[in-house]
Amino acid sequence: QAQLVESGGGSVQPGGSLRLSCSASGFTLDRYAITWFRQAPGKEREGVSCISSRREITSYADSLKGRFTISRDNAKNTVYLHLSSLKPEDTAVYYCATLLYFCLDYPGERSDFNYWGQGTQVTVSS
C-alpha cells in the first residue's frame, strides 16, 4: 500500500529548529517532486517549498526563504524540510505531497498531487 508519512513535528520555543521528514512506503520517491504545505488553524493551506526529482527547488513563500530549507535523500526514500529560527506564526500542520518529476510554478490544488501525507503538527510557543 503506497503512502506518505510525515514526522518530526513537535513543540519548540521561538528561535528553535526542527527537521520534518516525509517518507514513502510502497513506492520510491526518486521520480517524484515533493511539495511541503502547511495549514495554520483557521487559515488556508499554504505552499512552502517543492523539490523536483532533479533536486530543483521552488519556493512558494518568499517570507520563509532563509529559514526553511528543503532537501531529499533518495537512498532513504525521504524528503526533509528543515525549519529554523521558528516563530509562533509558524505553528501549523505540515503536509507533504507528491507529483511526478517537476514542481509546479504555483503551490497547486489537492487534486494536482498523487499522494498526501497525514501531516505533522509544529507548535512554536514560549
Side-chain angles (χ1 to χ4, degrees):
Q1 181 179 357
Q3 60 177 349
L4 282 178
V5 178
E6 301 95 337
S7 62
S11 295
V12 64
Q13 293 187 340
S17 299
L18 286 172
R19 187 182 75 169
L20 307 183
S21 299
C22 172
S23 299
S25 61
F27 70 106
T28 56
L29 286 177
D30 55 342
R31 294 189 304 150
Y32 289 90
I34 308 298
T35 298
W36 280 98
F37 293 87
R38 68 181 185 178
Q39 188 163 19
K43 295 189 176 181
E44 292 187 354
R45 187 176 62 239
E46 176 185 21
V48 176
S49 187
C50 176
I51 187 165
S52 74
S53 62
R54 296 167 63 179
R55 301 178 187 273
E56 296 151 330
I57 294 173
T58 302
S59 296
Y60 299 120
D62 288 342
S63 62
L64 302 179
K65 286 181 180 179
R67 296 197 300 121
F68 290 10
T69 305
I70 193 170
S71 64
R72 67 189 300 156
D73 185 339
N74 287 342
K76 295 184 177 180
N77 215 27
T78 300
V79 171
Y80 302 101
L81 186 67
H82 304 258
L83 315 179
S84 63
S85 301
L86 283 162
K87 304 175 182 180
E89 53 263 41
D90 295 320
T91 295
V93 178
Y94 286 72
Y95 301 89
C96 61
T98 67
L99 67 165
L100 278 175
Y101 299 119
F102 305 112
C103 297
L104 300 174
D105 292 334
Y106 55 98
E109 302 299 327
R110 190 172 186 87
S111 58
D112 291 326
F113 298 89
N114 312 102
Y115 302 105
W116 285 82
Q118 83 292 345
T120 185
Q121 175 71 47
V122 171
T123 301
V124 185
S125 173
S126 56

